[in-house]
Amino acid sequence: MFPLSVCVLTFNSARLLKDVLTPLAEIADELIIVDSGSSDETLEICQKFGIKPVYRAYTTHGEQMNYAISQVSNQWVLCMDSDEILDPKTVEEIKKIKSGAMPDPHMAFRISRHWFVLGQEVHNIYPVTSPDYPVRLFNRECVGFNNQPVDDAAEGYNNTAVITGFVKHDTFFSIHEVFNKLNGYTTRLVKYKNVKPSLARGMFSAFGSFWKWYIFKNGWKDGKVGVVTGTYAVAYSFMKYLKAWYQNDASQNK
């Protein structure tokens, strides 16, 4: 048997935090929360679980998660976001993993993550299909998160296994949240990654995203919510080029 540290990132996460922390408390020998300045009831909910969050100003998700990992005292960590809820099968499977011999440090475990948008499970949300299988349980001495500005991932492992059960990723709970995150993601992408400014490329990318994510990836099967996720894919694909073009034009005119 070996101890497990759990890392969670929060920012105004009160909506789901109790549901997120309750199953995590069953498997965590240590629970580290890194908060980036919540102004809702997030900190109060943490206190009810006996947790005092650590503050760190947000840069990128990967940097934030790596900072959380640096705060733990155990070798093995489970990294979760504050809109991801473990189901009972996943909790029991992690307990079984913990109760056995410590795995090889280059081994990592994936979760089956099902995406929910506006309260409905969807077939995709750009740029992933649902379910996807991110690595979340690993040995911190070998594995960490890369520094991609958006869609970062754990890396450094040699082999992986999928944990039985699934995780409900209850993201984009309102139309406002959809486009608020769209704006944040594309702004961060342009800030930290070299996106070549091109309106023509943006329009071509947007057209291709509609066909790929709404038509071929079955977004149309999700009804009204599918229209939202399809619009999100189109807007994301276009806006990153639009913002790069605007910033490049602004810098040349200074």
Side-chain angles (χ1 to χ4, degrees):
M1 185 171 183
F2 61 92
L4 178 68
S5 295
V6 175
C7 297
V8 180
L9 305 183
T10 59
F11 176 71
N12 289 340
S13 304
R15 180 177 68 97
L16 294 172
L17 192 55
K18 182 179 178 181
D19 293 334
V20 171
L21 295 181
T22 297
L24 292 178
E26 291 189 44
I27 57 176
D29 298 283
E30 177 185 50
L31 215 166
I32 301 294
I33 293 180
V34 175
D35 185 79
S36 52
S38 293
S39 57
D40 63 359
E41 294 80 28
T42 294
L43 302 184
E44 288 80 357
I45 295 172
C46 291
Q47 290 174 359
K48 291 179 180 179
F49 281 83
I51 304 165
K52 184 177 180 180
V54 178
Y55 170 77
R56 183 181 188 272
Y58 192 90
T59 50
T60 66
H61 183 273
E63 288 184 352
Q64 200 81 349
M65 197 62 87
N66 285 332
Y67 177 79
I69 294 169
S70 73
Q71 303 299 301
V72 309
S73 56
N74 298 309
Q75 291 184 357
W76 284 85
V77 294
L78 173 69
C79 296
M80 303 294 294
D81 287 331
S82 59
D83 55 3
E84 297 175 335
I85 303 171
L86 297 182
D87 81 318
K89 287 186 178 180
T90 307
V91 171
E92 292 305 313
E93 181 71 9
I94 294 175
K95 287 180 179 179
K96 290 180 181 178
I97 294 171
K98 284 182 57 184
S99 65
M102 185 176 291
D104 182 281
H106 294 284
M107 180 70 178
F109 296 88
R110 299 180 181 272
I111 61 173
S112 175
R113 182 172 60 174
H114 293 240
W115 290 72
F116 286 70
V117 174
L118 305 181
Q120 175 182 316
E121 186 169 3
V122 295
H123 286 81
N124 69 74
I125 178 69
Y126 180 88
V128 299
T129 56
S130 176
D132 64 338
Y133 299 86
V135 166
R136 289 300 182 83
L137 175 60
F138 52 80
N139 190 308
R140 67 184 175 92
E141 295 182 358
C142 299
V143 182
F145 283 80
N146 61 33
N147 200 31
Q148 291 294 319
V150 181
D151 304 319
D152 55 281
E155 57 184 21
Y157 50 85
N158 292 338
N159 301 295
T160 65
V162 178
I163 297 173
T164 301
F166 75 96
V167 173
K168 179 181 180 180
H169 191 186
D170 191 358
T171 188
F172 302 134
F173 58 89
S174 68
I175 293 291
H176 173 76
E177 178 73 4
V178 171
F179 292 101
N180 185 47
K181 286 192 175 182
L182 169 67
N183 182 56
Y185 291 158
T186 53
T187 297
R188 194 156 66 244
L189 186 66
V190 172
K191 179 179 180 180
Y192 291 103
K193 193 172 182 178
N194 184 26
V195 179
K196 294 182 179 180
S198 171
L199 287 181
R201 183 176 297 191
M203 288 185 286
F204 180 79
S205 178
F207 179 78
S209 293
F210 174 80
W211 282 99
K212 179 178 181 179
W213 295 98
Y214 186 72
I215 303 298
F216 294 113
K217 295 289 186 179
N218 296 320
W220 60 272
K221 292 183 179 181
D222 296 326
K224 291 181 180 179
V225 175
V227 174
V228 173
T229 59
T231 303
Y232 176 86
V234 170
Y236 191 110
S237 300
F238 180 71
M239 283 182 64
K240 62 184 179 183
Y241 291 105
L242 175 64
K243 289 184 178 181
W245 172 78
Y246 178 80
Q247 290 186 9
N248 181 69
D249 187 62
S251 64
Q252 289 180 352
N253 291 329
K254 284 185 177 179

